[in-house]
Amino acid sequence: MTNAAGPGPEHGRRRQALTWGIVGLLAQVVFAAGWVIAETWQGPRYSPVTDTISDLQAATAPHVWFPIVCFAIGGLATFGFAMFGLRPALKGTAAATPWKIGLSCLALGNSFPLISCQLSAPGCTATTQLLSAGGLADAILSGAALWVLATTPFPMARRLTSLPGWRGLRPVLLVAGVLMPALYGLLAIALITGAAQGIAERVLVVVCQLWICLLAGNLIRVSFA
């Protein structure tokens, strides 16, 4: 005799965790594609070493729609992963973490208002960018969002020890919790000195995305447990 009731609520929770875990991973791929691919058509004046990811979203950037779309999809999808996948899975443990991740990635996924010009364009300076509405908004939003992401792993690691299926992430999160603020500091120095700010930003963004991938991968793993 078959069970007329069908799959129970536990099955539904596991399926939800699996779905949003996959969404979280794909979101990082799409977000990274927005700057990795867009770099290929910026021209000889643009350098990933000295020019930031934000410059790809400037009003004068070629095919600016591509990074805008990728960043928006990546930000929205990461928000969904954090709210509908990670938050239920943590069951109130490290309750602020999903909100920090979700809102920070929404901020990083926002490209409006557009930065007035690319730093690599003739006549464009860092002051010109910062004095524009787009440049100021980007500096505030991206700076705050990256700082929140950089400082989230350490307190999260301390709270996961009581949650089965997640406590194994503690050592990696502790390392990330030390490494990422240090990388943020290096980015701040690079922005002040104007030396290698592009590569400093990219290293920090990649590390941020890797630890979000770690959370998404673990969510997929516990959905099968």
Side-chain angles (χ1 to χ4, degrees):
M1 180 180 294
T2 58
N3 184 0
E10 181 62 26
H11 173 80
R13 286 191 290 268
R14 290 177 182 274
R15 184 168 183 176
Q16 178 180 343
L18 174 62
T19 299
W20 285 108
I22 293 172
V23 169
L25 287 177
L26 293 178
Q28 308 319 304
V29 174
V30 173
F31 190 92
W35 55 273
V36 172
I37 296 176
E39 289 173 0
T40 63
W41 57 60
Q42 296 306 306
R45 293 181 61 90
Y46 183 91
S47 170
V49 175
T50 57
D51 297 313
T52 65
I53 294 172
S54 297
D55 269 24
L56 301 171
Q57 307 167 76
T60 57
H63 308 299
V64 67
W65 63 268
F66 181 80
I68 287 176
V69 170
C70 288
F71 295 160
I73 292 174
L76 288 169
T78 305
F79 181 82
F81 152 72
M83 292 295 101
F84 307 118
L86 187 61
R87 188 166 59 92
L90 295 183
K91 302 175 182 177
T93 304
T97 296
W99 289 101
K100 289 179 179 180
I101 295 173
L103 294 177
S104 295
C105 289
L106 278 182
L108 290 174
N110 172 61
S111 301
F112 298 97
L114 294 179
I115 298 172
S116 58
C117 60
Q118 280 187 304
L119 196 59
S120 57
C124 186
T125 65
T127 302
T128 303
Q129 286 187 337
L130 195 59
L131 291 179
S132 69
L136 183 60
D138 177 76
I140 295 172
L141 288 177
S142 63
L146 287 173
W147 175 248
V148 171
L149 289 178
T151 56
T152 296
F154 196 83
M156 182 184 187
R158 292 183 297 165
R159 293 179 172 89
L160 288 185
T161 55
S162 61
L163 193 61
W166 292 86
R167 60 172 62 102
L169 299 184
R170 188 172 185 272
V172 179
L173 290 175
L174 287 175
V175 172
V178 174
L179 177 63
M180 290 169 62
L183 291 174
Y184 190 94
L186 288 176
L187 173 60
I189 293 172
L191 289 170
I192 293 172
T193 61
Q197 57 190 13
I199 194 67
E201 182 187 46
R202 282 164 174 80
V203 171
L204 177 58
V205 169
V206 167
V207 175
C208 286
Q209 289 195 275
L210 284 176
W211 88 264
I212 294 175
C213 285
L214 177 70
L215 297 177
N218 196 69
L219 183 61
I220 294 171
R221 185 186 68 81
V222 298
S223 72
F224 289 106

